[in-house]
Amino acid sequence: KARDRVKIRSDLILYDIYGTNSVAPTMIPYLGRWVTISNGEHNYHGYYIENGDESNCQWTEEMFESNLYDEIY
């Protein structure tokens, strides 16, 4: 999953739980955007993203709409 391009869902609701994590206020600017999964380790709580994410939030599979590979193929 590291280095995958994924689209974050645009319909996420602040403080609602998706998988194991809730949506934090610092995640809102990323809704609907294509981002890259960080090279950092994935753990039980989710993935980190690149693209200047200073929030250090962990994103879960349930927060992703699709990945770029699925969009192309």
Side-chain angles (χ1 to χ4, degrees):
K1 198 76 176 153
R3 306 295 304 147
D4 276 1
R5 294 278 297 162
V6 295
K7 186 172 186 181
I8 297 175
R9 290 174 44 187
S10 59
D11 64 345
L12 299 179
I13 299 170
L14 187 61
Y15 301 119
D16 275 8
I17 297 173
Y18 298 87
T20 56
N21 290 347
S22 62
V23 177
T26 53
M27 295 169 131
I28 298 300
Y30 297 95
L31 302 189
R33 289 183 44 196
W34 285 96
V35 297
T36 303
I37 299 294
S38 172
N39 280 331
E41 287 188 34
H42 165 265
N43 63 36
Y44 173 74
H45 296 289
Y47 301 94
Y48 292 103
I49 62 170
E50 295 179 355
N51 304 74
D53 181 16
E54 301 298 327
S55 67
N56 209 26
C57 291
Q58 293 181 327
W59 300 80
T60 62
E61 292 280 343
E62 293 83 1
M63 295 176 177
F64 302 141
E65 184 174 312
S66 59
N67 68 48
L68 189 56
Y69 181 85
D70 291 340
E71 290 288 318
I72 295 172
Y73 302 100

